[in-house]
């Protein structure tokens, strides 16, 4: 790797500028689609599609899966699928342009790579379950809710950050 890419490795955008751009993106998304941002629906569409490919009969008989499949429309024909593909392509391009493409596990010197990966997997599973129980992820519930000045959006965002702040107390020794 040449020196110019090595120097850019940990240079990130200002988070306030990123938040401002995210706000503009949410407004644009509402204008173009009539809906806000979200990502958890892609996982549901993917799971329904895989189950349908394995056993179409099971999918049709299942109360949950059957509401997402029909003879003329695939669950993957959903704008959230294309949004998520765009996020993945954009992330890849961003990494390529800044020389940050590669596999690494960022963790505190106080914990092992294995422990970091276990925590990440556990957090991801809990997030996925919570998103299905809540019928949406933080992007849909909090960010898009706040963009339309929904009281529920503000309560959701306060709950997410408040819970994370309190929960972090118990795990801070792994990072500090």
């Amino acid at each position: 790797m040449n020196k110019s890419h090595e120097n850019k490795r940990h240079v990130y955008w200002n988070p306030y500028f990123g938040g401002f751009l995210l706000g503009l993106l949410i407004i644009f998304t509402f204008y173009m689609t009539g809906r806000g941002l979200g990502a958890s629906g892609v996982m549901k569409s993917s799971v329904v599609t895989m189950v349908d490919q394995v056993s179409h009969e099971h999918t049709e008989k299942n109360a949950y899966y059957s509401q997402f499949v029909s003879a003329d429309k695939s669950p993957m024909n959903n704008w959230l699928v294309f949004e998520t593909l765009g996020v993945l392509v954009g992330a890849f391009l961003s990494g390529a342009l800044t020389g940050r493409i590669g596999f690494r596990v960022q963790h505190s010197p106080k914990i092992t790579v294995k422990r970091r990966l276990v925590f990440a997997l556990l957090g991801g599973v809990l997030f996925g379950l919570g998103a299905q129980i809540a019928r949406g992820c933080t992007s849909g519930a909090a960010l898009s809710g706040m963009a339309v000045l929904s009281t529920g959006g503000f309560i959701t965002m306060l709950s997410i950050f408040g819970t994370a702040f309190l929960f972090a107390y118990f795990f801070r020794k792994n990072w500090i």
Side-chain angles (χ1 to χ4, degrees):
M1 179 182 313
N2 65 34
K3 276 213 181 277
S4 66
H5 284 293
E6 196 171 302
N7 292 339
K8 293 181 185 178
R9 238 186 142 85
H10 293 288
V11 176
Y12 301 106
W13 281 4
N14 180 310
Y16 297 110
F17 180 65
F20 173 74
L21 290 178
L22 180 59
L24 291 178
L25 177 64
I26 290 172
I27 292 169
F28 178 72
T29 305
F30 270 110
Y31 177 74
M32 294 299 291
T33 67
R35 297 179 61 180
L37 296 172
S40 60
V42 175
M43 184 56 74
K44 175 190 63 196
S45 295
S46 301
V47 169
V48 170
T49 300
M50 287 187 274
V51 171
D52 191 41
Q53 291 297 314
V54 171
S55 175
H56 182 69
E57 184 178 313
H58 173 73
T59 307
E60 285 182 325
K61 290 180 181 177
N62 184 286
Y64 181 75
Y65 294 144
S66 63
Q67 61 186 327
F68 302 108
V69 295
S70 65
D72 60 338
K73 188 177 177 189
S74 166
M76 296 304 280
N77 189 15
N78 183 321
W79 72 275
L80 288 172
V81 173
F82 297 103
E83 173 196 6
T84 303
L85 288 173
V87 168
L88 293 173
V89 170
F92 179 80
L93 288 174
S94 172
L97 293 172
T98 58
R100 291 192 313 242
I101 293 182
F103 293 98
R104 70 175 190 255
V105 178
Q106 292 182 318
H107 61 92
S108 165
K110 295 183 178 184
I111 66 170
T112 64
V113 170
K114 181 179 177 183
R115 185 172 177 158
R116 170 67 173 120
L117 292 175
V118 168
F119 281 165
L121 178 65
L122 181 63
V125 167
L126 290 173
F127 179 83
L129 289 172
Q132 286 305 302
I133 291 169
R135 298 189 59 175
C137 62
T138 54
S139 299
L143 296 176
S144 296
M146 287 175 61
V148 294
L149 302 177
S150 162
T151 303
F154 284 96
I155 292 171
T156 300
M157 186 63 84
L158 288 171
S159 299
I160 290 166
F161 278 97
T163 304
F165 184 77
L166 293 173
F167 199 74
Y169 174 81
F170 298 103
F171 288 92
R172 73 179 191 273
K173 66 180 180 263
N174 292 310
W175 301 100
I176 299 174

